[in-house]
């Protein structure tokens, strides 16, 4: 995989460099609530601009239906990028149309432009190779060189991620190089004990990575909504908690494998339960109680791990040399149910381990709960991409950059 430093050594002054970034930031009423992904790609964009390139930045945001939708415009991200760069950033109001062509043509050396949301064009995400390729051909007309730096999208076989690099000289940006380097530390020559913390809502989202990690991790700590399928598989009542009954047999098999292979699979011993899901907008105080994990009332749902579980999980992390965490262990968006996720984050901070926060909601939680990002070894920008890499899958965006 060619590096951006190799590309810079060849010279990029005056060349149009297409940077596939991941500016898929969360928005609330048009305002960015977490600019972590923009800051993550900043070193690549700034270095290219400094070297005199004409930088064309492209990304997706959200899931528009292949047509323009003002709710998913990248305009706020372009404005924030300009603030972080300390320089004006031009914005094209389309992807490959008149505005894009005019905006790119007007770029001076060392300047930056952002194209509108790539997913406003159906060709970006099309499963039809010809349709996707046709869109990639149009994007290629806007550039001389391609730099892939949108790690959060490399597990997608999309036009700007997979097809475009085949049409241009290409290299990996600093973010992708960093992300891949970190993930290699989790898959090869891992320092032990290796502890994995998995949370989130659905166990089905994590089955493949659990399957892979059962042969690699020393301990797997389970939390979040997915924990209730494990508790149910153990024969416990879970009330109205999140439960995927169709996955119970698979979970039972994983629990048996863990016992046979000596992998410590750790489940909650107590949980916070309530008869109703909390108000996440007004954040009005919740009515809840703490119960043992085998004593969840039939009319209540689990919404966070309890104090005994927080202590247990912290103790399981304390002596680790490597920790990977993906998924909050409770409804952290509400202050009454943020204690478990806060405890896990604090345990990572307090440990001597190389700690990796696996993107997505975990990364959002770390920032929302006020932790210093520098207190962790690495905060990934791609939760889905990180998981698929750990599952051993070939990621289309990385394969394209290696080609």
């Amino acid at each position: 995989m060619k590096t951006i430093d190799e590309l810079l050594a060849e010279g990029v002054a005056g060349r149009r460099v297409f940077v596939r970034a991941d500016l898929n930031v969360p928005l609330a009423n048009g305002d960015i609530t977490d600019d972590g992904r923009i800051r993550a790609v900043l070193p690549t964009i700034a270095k290219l601009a400094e070297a005199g390139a004409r930088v064309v930045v492209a990304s997706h945001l959200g899931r528009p239906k292949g047509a323009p939708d003002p709710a998913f415009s990248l305009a706020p991200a372009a404005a924030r990028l300009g603030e972080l760069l300390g320089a004006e950033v031009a914005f094209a109001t389309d992807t490959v149309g008149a505005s894009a062509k005019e905006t790119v043509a007007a770029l001076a050396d060392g300047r930056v432009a952002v194209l509108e949301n790539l997913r406003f064009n159906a060709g970006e995400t099309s499963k039809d190779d010809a349709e996707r390729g046709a869109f990639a051909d149009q994007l290629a007309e806007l550039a001389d060189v391609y730099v892939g730096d949108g790690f959060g999208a490399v597990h997608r076989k999309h036009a700007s991620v997979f097809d475009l690099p085949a049409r241009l000289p290409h290299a990996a940006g600093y973010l992708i190089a960093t992300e891949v380097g970190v993930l290699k530390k989790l898959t090869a020559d891992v320092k032990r004990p290796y502890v994995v913390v998995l949370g989130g809502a659905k166990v089905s989202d994590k089955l493949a990575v659990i399957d892979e990690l059962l042969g690699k991790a020393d301990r797997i700590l389970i939390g979040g909504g997915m924990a209730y399928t494990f508790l149910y598989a153990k024969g416990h009542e879970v009330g109205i908690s999140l439960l995927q009954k169709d996955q119970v047999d698979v979970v039972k098999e994983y629990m048996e494998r863990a016992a046979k292979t000596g992998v410590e699979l750790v489940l909650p011993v107590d949980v916070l339960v309530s008869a109703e899901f909390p108000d996440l907008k007004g954040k009005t105080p919740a009515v809840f109680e703490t119960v043992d994990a085998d004593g969840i009332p039939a009319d209540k749902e689990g919404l966070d791990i309890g104090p005994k579980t927080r202590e247990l999980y912290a103790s399981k992390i304390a002596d680790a040399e490597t920790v990977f965490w993906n998924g909050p262990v409770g409804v952290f968006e509400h202050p009454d149910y943020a204690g478990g996720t806060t405890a896990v984050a604090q345990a990572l901070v307090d440990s001597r381990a190389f700690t990796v926060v696996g993107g997505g909601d975990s990364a959002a939680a770390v920032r929302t709960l006020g932790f210093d990002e520098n207190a962790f070894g690495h905060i990934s920008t791609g939760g889905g991409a990180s998981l698929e890499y750990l599952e051993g899958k070939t990621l289309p965006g990385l394969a394209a950059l290696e080609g």
Side-chain angles (χ1 to χ4, degrees):
M1 189 183 294
K2 187 174 185 178
T3 68
I4 188 172
D5 286 331
E6 291 175 296
L7 178 65
L8 290 165
E10 294 172 359
V12 294
R15 303 176 79 186
R16 299 170 302 166
V17 180
F18 187 104
V19 177
R20 199 337 178 158
D22 180 9
L23 308 181
N24 186 27
V25 292
L27 297 172
N29 300 317
D31 296 324
I32 296 171
T33 58
D34 181 356
D35 66 358
R37 284 177 169 165
I38 301 175
R39 287 185 285 109
V41 76
L42 204 62
T44 291
I45 295 172
K47 194 73 172 181
L48 287 167
E50 189 180 295
R54 302 176 182 186
V55 187
V56 182
V57 181
S59 175
H60 71 283
L61 191 151
R63 296 179 181 273
K65 306 298 184 182
D69 183 339
F72 297 106
S73 175
L74 276 172
R80 181 59 180 149
L81 177 61
E83 292 172 358
L84 292 169
L85 285 171
E88 183 180 353
V89 169
F91 181 65
T93 57
D94 57 28
T95 56
V96 291
S99 179
K101 292 173 182 176
E102 292 168 7
T103 300
V104 173
L107 273 180
D109 293 1
R111 308 300 289 185
V112 178
V114 173
L115 304 180
E116 185 53 285
N117 192 336
L118 290 167
R119 291 186 183 176
F120 285 1
N121 189 303
E124 169 68 1
T125 60
S126 176
K127 289 181 169 56
D128 181 82
D129 291 348
E131 184 179 10
R132 225 177 40 248
F135 183 49
D137 287 338
Q138 291 178 291
L139 291 172
E141 293 176 6
L142 300 174
D144 305 304
V145 182
Y146 177 94
V147 171
D149 215 28
F151 180 74
V154 294
H155 58 314
R156 307 293 188 190
K157 192 176 182 181
H158 291 171
S160 66
V161 176
F162 178 75
D163 303 273
L164 186 54
R167 290 158 167 76
L168 295 169
H170 50 267
Y174 291 122
L175 175 60
I176 279 186
T178 298
E179 295 272 14
V180 171
V182 166
L183 289 170
K184 284 181 177 178
K185 291 184 180 181
L186 300 178
T187 53
D189 300 321
V190 182
K191 291 185 177 180
R192 299 184 180 279
Y194 177 20
V195 178
V196 176
V197 184
L198 295 176
K202 294 182 178 179
V203 69
S204 56
D205 293 340
K206 303 291 195 310
L207 286 177
V209 76
I210 293 172
D211 183 49
E212 187 70 19
L213 289 170
L214 279 173
K216 295 179 179 176
D218 297 300
R219 298 177 198 135
I220 302 177
L221 316 183
I222 304 292
M226 62 183 286
Y228 302 101
T229 301
F230 278 86
L231 292 172
Y232 186 87
K234 284 189 70 175
H236 298 329
E237 168 68 61
V238 297
I240 56 173
S241 305
L242 279 173
L243 172 62
Q244 291 185 279
K245 284 190 176 180
D246 59 331
Q247 304 297 336
V248 169
D249 287 342
V250 179
V251 166
K252 284 181 178 178
E253 191 267 327
Y254 284 177
M255 292 166 71
E256 291 169 1
R257 275 175 54 197
K260 288 177 182 177
T261 57
V263 175
E264 194 176 355
L265 191 61
V266 188
L267 302 179
V269 294
D270 64 341
V271 295
L272 271 59
V273 299
S274 177
E276 57 184 15
F277 197 81
D279 167 26
L280 299 183
K281 290 186 177 179
K283 292 184 172 55
T284 54
V287 178
F288 63 90
E289 62 178 312
T290 302
V291 300
D292 288 341
D294 61 357
I296 299 174
D299 62 344
K300 294 186 178 180
E301 64 178 318
L303 296 166
D304 194 11
I305 58 172
K308 288 188 288 187
T309 305
R310 296 169 197 176
E311 290 183 12
L312 173 64
Y313 285 12
S315 72
K316 297 296 182 182
I317 293 168
D319 68 340
E321 291 291 340
T322 304
V323 182
F324 173 71
W325 172 30
N326 182 280
V329 297
V331 186
F332 76 92
E333 297 92 341
H334 192 284
D336 289 334
Y337 302 116
T341 301
T342 300
V344 168
Q346 189 62 54
L348 265 67
V349 171
D350 292 341
S351 77
R352 64 183 181 186
F354 174 64
T355 56
V356 179
V357 179
D361 287 340
S362 312
V366 163
R367 298 185 182 107
T368 300
L369 297 173
F371 284 89
D372 180 357
E373 294 180 43
N374 295 320
F376 302 89
H378 179 70
I379 298 179
S380 179
T381 56
S386 296
L387 286 178
E388 291 198 16
Y389 189 99
L390 294 181
E391 289 165 18
K393 291 183 178 179
T394 296
L395 305 189
L398 297 185
L401 292 175
E402 291 167 350

